[in-house]
Amino acid sequence: MAARPTPVPLTADADLTAAFEVLGQKWTGIILHTLATRPARYGELSTAIERISTKMLADRLRELVEAGLVTHDHLPPGPATYTLTADGRALLPALEQIRSWSQHRTTSSRYSPRKATPMSAHPLPEATFARTVLGSGPGLALAHGAGAGSSVAGTYGPILDGLAAHHTVVGVDYPGSGDTPRAATPLSLDDLADQLVAAAVAEGLDTFAVSGYSLGGPVAIRAAARHPERVTALVLTATFPHRDNRLALALPIWRKLAESGNRELLAEYLTMTALGADALEAMPDEQLQQAIGFTAASVADGTPEHAELAPRADVRNVPPGIQAPTLVISTTQDWFTSTRLHHQLADTIPHARLVEIPTGHLPMVERPDEWRQLITDFLDGHGA
């Protein structure tokens, strides 16, 4: 009987092994091929690659940057863009060959069709509000508060850079705030919510978390209720599901002072009610007067309309239908929106988590770093 030939030893090619340590990761080749057309923002890539999760896309982009195949450039004030490097472009012929191979496979062996882009439960309007766009990574839409400093910059300014370090941040200024003109008709929560979602979508974000502060809390909740397929998580700070008796007394005073045109008196009222007891009592007289002057200078022109909307904001019937992971941040020294309202909101939304921060109504002034950390830790923990 003839001797059986000795099999040729098998060895894994070292160069291919090194290459596929990067290219063998799911979605890596798709991201590289998508960037072949032109540099793109994170939101544009998320929209183009429909089945990829926001966390997966962020992870793969970070790996490609570390591997030297993609660069990550940020040119203020626009969002960061991703661009193929020379090494990344050198892979394109190989990716084209793989694409050609896929085209010639039999129909029965093809991968399942791509999922359609989610459609909003409610039609989106044209995004007309002035907006702020920063950073890169998973989407985060910001719903700001009302009154003094009522704009994206006024509410989130001290923590904007920290949020944008790992997220594509999109926020809109309500009518009468920031660069958005005052409204000629009463404001509505649904209109504000739809404009926020429309702005995020216009910036290429298919899905995103929403952070709502004070009046922005009901706006964020309405956004999640009206567009549940887009909202991946909610963070609600110093906010309320409806007006209680304290708000019923405080809001008309706020509105009348705003309509009177006496900004200094309004600023004294807001400083007294918005700062926590610890922060207020820690201020020497000179610093207190400076705070009042700053508040008077930052009163938004649209404050009367904001103060008119706040008593009508009632989302008690909305939270039970919300499925997005939710964090309620309770400001424990808050005179304006009570901890009772914070707990009521957390108890109503399914599986909501409540955490406390020892500030008044202004965590961005009293404890900005701690506030930012609570937001980012929660979003990171839920891949949002």
Side-chain angles (χ1 to χ4, degrees):
M1 179 180 294
R4 180 175 299 177
T6 302
V8 176
L10 295 178
T11 58
D13 186 89
D15 291 332
L16 280 176
T17 299
F20 275 95
E21 284 180 356
V22 177
L23 299 179
Q25 298 291 332
K26 187 176 182 182
W27 300 112
T28 296
I30 300 299
I31 294 170
L32 292 171
H33 193 269
T34 305
L35 286 173
T37 304
R38 62 170 174 82
R41 302 191 303 266
Y42 174 91
E44 293 177 306
L45 290 169
S46 181
T47 300
I49 309 171
E50 294 168 353
R51 291 196 306 272
I52 193 170
S53 70
T54 54
K55 185 176 186 303
M56 179 70 75
L57 178 57
D59 288 345
R60 291 294 174 263
L61 285 169
R62 184 181 64 253
E63 292 164 1
L64 288 170
V65 170
E66 291 172 353
L69 302 178
V70 171
T71 59
H72 180 213
D73 301 311
H74 185 199
L75 300 175
T81 58
Y82 293 90
T83 307
L84 291 180
T85 65
D87 283 346
R89 299 199 71 85
L91 287 166
L92 295 181
L95 293 176
E96 279 296 327
Q97 288 187 336
I98 294 173
R99 190 172 74 88
S100 177
W101 168 81
S102 179
Q103 288 176 333
H104 288 86
R105 295 177 68 196
T106 60
T107 303
S108 62
S109 66
R110 286 183 182 268
Y111 195 75
S112 58
R114 298 202 309 173
K115 182 179 69 176
T117 301
M119 298 296 292
S120 291
H122 296 268
L124 287 176
E126 179 186 357
T128 58
F129 290 2
R131 61 183 181 260
T132 297
V133 184
L134 292 170
S136 63
L140 175 59
L142 304 179
H144 66 73
S150 64
S151 64
V152 175
T155 293
Y156 290 96
I159 67 171
L160 265 179
D161 287 343
L163 295 177
H166 301 287
H167 292 83
T168 300
V169 174
V170 179
V172 297
D173 294 333
Y174 307 153
S177 296
D179 294 326
T180 304
R182 290 180 72 171
T185 56
L187 302 179
S188 107
L189 285 182
D190 287 352
D191 288 346
L192 299 183
D194 286 354
Q195 279 289 331
L196 179 63
V197 173
V201 172
E203 290 299 326
L205 298 176
D206 189 39
T207 59
F208 40 86
V210 182
S211 172
Y213 163 80
S214 192
L215 180 62
V219 172
I221 290 170
R222 289 302 298 163
R226 291 171 64 80
H227 309 280
E229 69 291 326
R230 294 195 182 276
V231 177
T232 59
L234 280 175
V235 179
L236 309 171
T237 303
T239 189
F240 56 97
H242 67 103
R243 69 170 192 184
D244 60 2
N245 285 340
R246 178 182 293 179
L247 280 174
L249 294 170
L251 290 171
I253 298 173
W254 176 33
R255 181 181 177 185
K256 289 174 184 176
L257 289 173
E259 291 174 337
S260 74
N262 190 336
R263 291 197 169 202
E264 184 175 356
L265 185 59
L266 173 60
E268 290 174 351
Y269 172 75
L270 292 176
T271 302
M272 175 188 69
T273 57
L275 283 173
D278 291 344
L280 189 61
E281 294 307 317
M283 286 186 177
D285 289 345
E286 182 178 355
Q287 186 180 2
L288 181 58
Q289 293 306 312
Q290 289 175 347
I292 292 171
F294 177 81
T295 302
S298 64
V299 171
D301 292 340
T303 296
E305 292 88 74
H306 303 168
E308 188 278 331
L309 171 61
R312 294 189 284 109
D314 190 333
V315 291
R316 282 174 291 182
N317 294 329
V318 173
I322 292 176
Q323 299 301 317
T326 301
L327 178 69
V328 177
I329 301 177
S330 175
T331 39
T332 59
Q333 297 182 19
D334 200 329
W335 185 91
F336 207 70
T337 62
S338 69
T339 56
R340 179 177 173 274
L341 289 176
H342 307 159
H343 282 262
Q344 181 180 341
L345 193 58
D347 290 342
T348 305
I349 299 176
H351 313 299
R353 175 188 168 201
L354 184 138
V355 298
E356 296 181 338
I357 184 171
T359 73
H361 198 62
L362 304 175
M364 74 292 293
V365 172
E366 299 178 44
R367 291 177 179 258
D369 291 339
E370 186 175 339
W371 184 37
R372 175 193 55 76
Q373 196 70 50
L374 288 173
I375 295 172
T376 54
D377 283 353
F378 178 78
L379 295 179
D380 290 347
H382 288 85

